[in-house]
Amino acid sequence: MDNTTHFGFKDVATQDKQGMVRSVFDSVANKYDLMNDVLSFGAHRLWKHYTIAMANVKTGDKVLDIAGGTGDLARAFAAKVGDTGQVVLSDINAAMLNEGRKNLINKGVTGVEFVQLSGEQIPFADNSFDCVSIAFGLRNVTDKDQCIREMYRVLKPGGCMLILEFSKTNIVPLEKFYDFYSFNVMPKLGKFIANDEESYQYLAESIRKHPDQETLKQMVLDAGFGLCEYHNLSGGIVALHKGIKIP
């Protein structure tokens, strides 16, 4: 791996990025859900609902949610897999994982396992899960290819991987509005609501550094997945990539 990588628009030492990302999410964890609702005008709930619908998860399945943060996907997956299934909510950030635990307890969700882990080094055996998901987390991973390979490894043959992430829109008026909103409004809202302008500036920049739809699709195929399709949401501002591990 190169000795440098990007942290937003800055070049930083590769070994430093993980700690820098951790500090961002330490800062925003307790306002994360509120900020998601405000910044996306509530649309993140629709994006996640669509992701769950595309997952083909059924009763008794085992699901791993990486960078699962405050637990939105884990809660929905838990309802689908039922008492005979298993959901693991994981995050590299302890503060975010604690928010997820509190949210699920407050909503009466039981049986979800919480594990602090890095998506680049998943501490589970090969062929362990029927579904592996990561929502709005891949762009913060230092080595995205390694993370996708790890997701492939722990999936059972026939299992599906879901990557929900901000992406690229080709609709020019929407792109112009999105750029203005991301760099002029989003950080100011971060300062006003979460008292943290800098973290939301990073989050806006990290979206622009993330691979576009076709590039990410190729990364998924290169990791070994026999099939990958993506679905643009909100005009391509967000995309859901679904990969299948062919038996």
Side-chain angles (χ1 to χ4, degrees):
M1 191 193 296
D2 292 340
N3 291 327
T4 61
T5 188
H6 59 82
F7 178 76
F9 290 161
K10 301 174 195 163
D11 288 329
V12 299
T14 299
Q15 68 267 24
D16 293 343
K17 178 171 178 175
Q18 198 171 91
M20 296 170 79
V21 170
R22 183 179 290 122
S23 70
V24 166
F25 285 92
D26 281 344
S27 175
V28 304
N30 66 339
K31 291 285 198 320
Y32 189 75
D33 283 340
L34 173 62
M35 287 297 293
N36 275 352
D37 279 330
V38 171
L39 294 176
S40 73
F41 307 102
H44 77 100
R45 297 178 184 274
L46 299 175
W47 299 332
K48 291 169 182 171
H49 182 78
Y50 182 81
T51 301
I52 297 295
M54 291 294 290
N56 305 330
V57 169
K58 60 189 185 302
T59 302
D61 278 356
K62 292 181 67 175
V63 179
L64 170 63
D65 187 28
I66 300 170
T70 53
D72 287 348
L73 287 186
R75 179 160 55 99
F77 279 133
K80 277 194 164 280
V81 305
D83 294 339
T84 58
Q86 181 189 20
V87 175
V88 177
L89 170 57
S90 70
D91 204 289
I92 196 171
N93 185 279
M96 291 292 286
L97 207 55
N98 285 335
E99 289 297 315
R101 184 182 284 109
K102 282 193 295 187
N103 282 349
L104 294 188
I105 290 171
N106 289 342
K107 290 177 170 68
V109 179
T110 59
V112 172
E113 189 177 338
F114 299 89
V115 179
Q116 188 172 358
L117 59 79
S118 163
E120 296 173 48
Q121 296 172 304
I122 301 175
F124 293 106
D126 298 358
N127 310 317
S128 294
F129 295 94
D130 298 285
C131 178
V132 181
S133 61
I134 182 166
F136 305 113
L138 186 62
R139 71 181 189 281
N140 299 310
V141 174
T142 305
D143 189 340
K144 296 174 180 61
D145 289 300
Q146 172 63 15
C147 180
I148 297 169
R149 285 194 296 269
E150 277 289 272
M151 293 168 79
Y152 177 84
R153 181 184 64 77
V154 299
L155 263 179
K156 295 177 183 177
C160 82
M161 178 202 65
L162 300 160
I163 301 173
L164 181 66
E165 189 55 89
F166 291 106
S167 201
K168 304 290 189 293
T169 178
N170 292 319
I171 304 169
V172 174
L174 182 59
E175 184 179 20
K176 288 182 176 177
F177 167 77
Y178 186 42
D179 280 344
F180 176 82
Y181 181 75
S182 296
F183 293 105
N184 294 279
V185 179
M186 205 161 107
K188 296 294 186 287
L189 285 172
K191 182 177 182 180
F192 179 71
I193 297 173
N195 196 30
D196 189 346
E197 184 172 358
E198 192 174 321
S199 290
Y200 283 90
Q201 179 72 27
Y202 157 73
L203 291 172
E205 292 176 3
S206 70
I207 292 167
R208 297 316 185 280
K209 299 293 285 186
H210 188 67
D212 65 18
Q213 288 92 326
E214 284 292 334
T215 304
L216 183 55
K217 177 180 177 178
Q218 192 58 52
M219 289 165 66
V220 170
L221 293 172
D222 289 346
F225 286 89
L227 177 69
C228 180
E229 61 184 23
Y230 63 82
H231 305 268
N232 284 329
L233 308 174
S234 300
I237 285 175
V238 169
L240 173 66
H241 284 70
K242 179 177 180 178
I244 303 295
K245 183 173 181 176
I246 302 297

